[in-house]
Amino acid sequence: MISIIPFFVFLGGFLFFLLKTNPATTIKINKPGKTVSIRKQSLLEYSFNIYSFIEIDDLIYINAKLVGRPGNETSSYETIMPLKSGMNIKLPRFSGLKDNEYFDLVDLMNSYIFDTSKQIPFKLTIFNDD
């Protein structure tokens, strides 16, 4: 009986990790109301924030990171919404989209907020595993 206790402790920790770190996120851009609302919900947490277009400092951008060993790097993307307060709000990766569709979606978000399609600022950070 004692030998199965570590298994259940591991399983419980793993499920807690999944429930805590993988919230469902909904982003709504209300153009007439000039707001962006972000709702994050998991079984353990719930948050809902509304940002006025006036609070957004600059274009929403994609922060790309190359991770892995040289010659075997993969791209990892974060979508960032910078606020005038200095905070950077991380938006979730939109699953199921190809890279070019992902960039087009962020460009569409910027066109809704800033009333014009602008080039997306792109930041590249390279990390090497030692």
Side-chain angles (χ1 to χ4, degrees):
M1 191 60 110
I2 293 205
S3 63
I4 63 169
I5 292 174
F7 171 75
F8 285 112
V9 170
F10 170 76
L11 183 62
F14 180 71
L15 290 175
F16 179 77
F17 173 77
L18 286 179
L19 295 174
K20 179 96 171 133
T21 60
N22 291 319
T25 304
T26 304
I27 301 169
K28 292 185 180 180
I29 299 174
N30 179 348
K31 191 168 184 172
K34 298 189 179 204
T35 60
V36 176
S37 63
I38 302 171
R39 179 178 61 97
K40 293 182 182 181
Q41 182 176 5
S42 70
L43 291 176
L44 300 176
E45 291 184 321
Y46 177 83
S47 69
F48 183 76
N49 296 300
I50 299 175
Y51 304 97
S52 168
F53 287 2
I54 296 170
E55 293 178 76
I56 301 172
D57 187 38
D58 202 354
L59 296 174
I60 296 171
Y61 65 90
I62 297 171
N63 187 24
K65 299 177 183 179
L66 293 177
V67 294
R69 299 195 185 280
N72 194 23
E73 296 99 352
T74 57
S75 297
S76 174
Y77 301 109
E78 288 180 318
T79 306
I80 307 293
M81 183 174 71
L83 301 179
K84 290 181 181 174
S85 67
M87 289 180 49
N88 287 327
I89 306 300
K90 292 182 183 178
L91 304 176
R93 168 90 170 143
F94 305 102
S95 62
L97 296 178
K98 298 176 184 168
D99 288 349
N100 60 335
E101 295 171 331
Y102 185 66
F103 294 112
D104 290 343
L105 181 60
V106 173
D107 189 42
L108 182 62
M109 292 169 68
N110 282 323
S111 69
Y112 265 69
I113 295 170
F114 296 103
D115 289 325
T116 181
S117 182
K118 299 180 180 181
Q119 185 177 357
I120 302 170
F122 190 89
K123 295 186 178 183
L124 177 65
T125 307
I126 299 174
F127 293 97
N128 291 321
D129 291 337
D130 293 324

